[in-house]
Amino acid sequence: MQLETYISDLLYRYECVTIPEFGAFLTQRVSATIHGTTNAFYPPSKTVSFNEQIQKNDGLLAHYIADVEKIPFEVASKKIEKRVHALKNYLTQGETLTFKNIGDIVFNGEGKIVFEPSNHLNYLTDSFGLSQFVSPKVTREVYKEEVKNIEKVIPITVTPEKRKTAPSYLKYAAIALVALTLGGLGGANYYVNQIEQHNQLAQEEATQQLDTKIQQATFNLNPFPAITLNVTKQTGNYHIIAGAFRFEENCDKKVQQLKAEGFSARKIGVNRYGLHQVVYASYEDRLEALKALRTIKNTHNRDAWLDVRKLD
C-alpha cells in the first residue's frame, strides 16, 4: 500500500492528516516570499510539519483509502495498522522513513522523532502553476543634481523630432514670420491669403471624398439564417482540477490543449485569489471522480487534484 500517496492527496485539501498510533502531518499557509540574497521570488505555499503527539484515529485516512481502493473501512484500518507496525520497526532499527513528496522521519540521538520536509511539492492549490523565479536586481540612480547643472548651461532647444511632428499651422506661421522680415506687411498679407486658400481647398476635398464614400456604401439588412447548436453542459460537484492560471490567455491555451488530447476540459471561473481554474472534467458521482483522478494522476498529470464544490 502506497501510504504516502494517499497522505499526499489529502494534504492538498486538509490541514491535518493523522496516521493512527503514529503521528500527524500538519500544513500551514505561508505567504509569498523574496530571498534577499538571490532575488528569488517564491509563491504562496503550505509548509508541512509532523507531530507525533497527535495519534488519535479521526477516520480521514482510512475513509479515503476505502473509497479509492473500494474496500470496507475496517479492511482499510487494518492495512494502516499493519503499515504503522512496520514503520515503527524501521525507526527502532535506525532507518530513515522517506515519505515521497512529504519528507523524511528519523530518530535522533535522544530517541525522538525528527522530521525534515521535502519541499518538492506545493500543497497550496491556489498557487497551482506558479513556480519560483529569479529577477535581476533593480538599481536606481538619482540624476536630479545633474539635471539642475545641465539646465544652467544648456538652453532649451527644439529637437528635429519635434519639428517633424509640429502641426501644420506652425509651419505656415513660420512662413509668415519670414515674410514679415523680408517683405514687410505686404508680403505677410500675401502668405496669409495663401494659407487661407490652402485650408479652404483641403476642406472642400475632404467633404467631397466623404460624400463619395457615403453614396457608394450599401447596407444589407437581411437577417442571418438561424443556427441550431447542440451543447452538452457538464454537471456535478466533483471537479478534477488541471491547473490555475494568473492570466486568462494561459487558461484558454490549457483548455485547448486538453481538448486536443481528448479531455472534456473547460474553465470553471476565478477562485478567490484571482486565478483562472481549468478542469479535466466534472462528475456527479464521487467514486467515479476519484477513479478518474487516479487515472489522470498516473497517466497524465500527477499534480491534478479533486475540488468538491457547487458551481454557480
Side-chain angles (χ1 to χ4, degrees), residues 154-167 170:
I154 300 179
I156 298 176
T157 59
V158 180
T159 63
E161 289 77 13
K162 291 293 184 180
R163 289 197 296 268
K164 184 182 295 184
T165 57
L170 291 180

Side-chain angles (χ1 to χ4, degrees), residues 7-14 26-33 41-48 100-103 117-133 241-244 246 271 273 275 297 301-306:
I7 296 174
S8 182
D9 291 345
L10 293 172
L11 287 176
Y12 281 105
R13 290 175 285 167
Y14 299 96
L26 308 173
T27 62
Q28 183 177 7
R29 183 186 178 96
V30 178
S31 301
T33 57
F41 289 73
Y42 298 91
S45 61
K46 279 184 178 181
T47 59
V48 182
K100 185 178 180 181
N101 297 323
I102 301 174
S118 67
N119 297 322
H120 289 160
L121 279 184
N122 187 351
Y123 287 103
L124 184 63
T125 56
D126 294 324
S127 295
F128 184 86
L130 300 178
S131 60
Q132 75 176 69
F133 65 94
I241 304 297
R246 180 69 60 187
N271 61 19
Y273 296 100
L275 300 178
K297 289 176 73 70
N301 180 8
R302 62 193 303 271
D303 293 326
W305 60 281
L306 186 65

Side-chain angles (χ1 to χ4, degrees), residues 8-211:
S8 182
D9 291 345
L10 293 172
L11 287 176
Y12 281 105
R13 290 175 285 167
Y14 299 96
E15 296 180 354
C16 179
V17 179
T18 303
I19 304 176
E21 304 301 326
F22 185 75
F25 290 100
L26 308 173
T27 62
Q28 183 177 7
R29 183 186 178 96
V30 178
S31 301
T33 57
I34 304 175
H35 196 283
T37 305
T38 63
N39 298 319
F41 289 73
Y42 298 91
S45 61
K46 279 184 178 181
T47 59
V48 182
S49 59
F50 182 79
N51 190 334
E52 60 179 315
Q53 303 298 324
I54 304 175
Q55 298 187 2
K56 186 177 180 180
N57 187 6
D58 58 3
L60 175 65
L61 183 58
H63 273 296
Y64 184 71
I65 294 175
D67 288 339
V68 174
E69 297 188 0
K70 294 182 173 55
I71 59 177
F73 176 82
E74 293 76 12
V75 176
S77 298
K78 288 292 183 182
K79 281 191 171 186
I80 296 174
E81 182 180 350
K82 182 178 179 181
R83 182 62 186 277
V84 167
H85 181 72
L87 293 176
K88 289 182 176 179
N89 287 336
Y90 291 143
L91 283 176
T92 56
Q93 294 172 10
E95 297 187 19
T96 300
L97 301 180
T98 299
F99 291 81
K100 185 178 180 181
N101 297 323
I102 301 174
D104 297 334
I105 295 178
V106 67
F107 274 146
N108 61 10
E110 300 177 355
K112 295 183 179 180
I113 287 180
V114 176
F115 174 71
E116 182 66 29
S118 67
N119 297 322
H120 289 160
L121 279 184
N122 187 351
Y123 287 103
L124 184 63
T125 56
D126 294 324
S127 295
F128 184 86
L130 300 178
S131 60
Q132 75 176 69
F133 65 94
V134 178
S135 174
K137 185 177 181 180
V138 178
T139 58
R140 297 179 175 86
E141 298 181 10
V142 179
Y143 295 100
K144 185 175 180 180
E145 294 300 325
E146 294 184 11
V147 171
K148 287 183 178 179
N149 296 331
I150 293 175
E151 289 178 347
K152 291 179 182 179
V153 296
I154 300 179
I156 298 176
T157 59
V158 180
T159 63
E161 289 77 13
K162 291 293 184 180
R163 289 197 296 268
K164 184 182 295 184
T165 57
S168 59
Y169 65 85
L170 291 180
K171 298 178 182 179
Y172 291 112
I175 295 173
L177 181 59
V178 174
L180 284 173
T181 304
L182 299 178
L185 183 60
N189 290 335
Y190 170 78
Y191 281 97
V192 170
N193 292 334
Q194 289 291 102
I195 294 171
E196 292 179 352
Q197 292 178 7
H198 174 81
N199 292 339
Q200 184 176 359
L201 290 174
Q203 183 176 1
E204 292 177 356
E205 182 179 356
T207 303
Q208 183 178 1
Q209 292 179 357
L210 179 62
D211 292 339

Side-chain angles (χ1 to χ4, degrees), residues 253-310:
K253 291 179 181 177
K254 188 65 175 179
V255 171
Q256 295 176 1
Q257 174 190 343
L258 293 178
K259 285 186 175 180
E261 296 177 6
F263 294 99
S264 301
R266 65 190 179 106
K267 298 187 292 185
I268 61 171
V270 180
N271 61 19
R272 60 176 178 168
Y273 296 100
L275 300 178
H276 301 270
Q277 292 183 305
V278 177
V279 299
Y280 282 97
S282 300
Y283 298 87
E284 295 184 352
D285 182 72
R286 181 167 59 91
L287 294 180
E288 183 181 356
L290 289 172
K291 181 179 179 182
L293 174 63
R294 177 63 55 189
T295 301
I296 289 174
K297 289 176 73 70
N298 291 335
T299 61
H300 192 268
N301 180 8
R302 62 193 303 271
D303 293 326
W305 60 281
L306 186 65
D307 185 11
V308 182
R309 63 188 173 95
K310 183 178 181 181

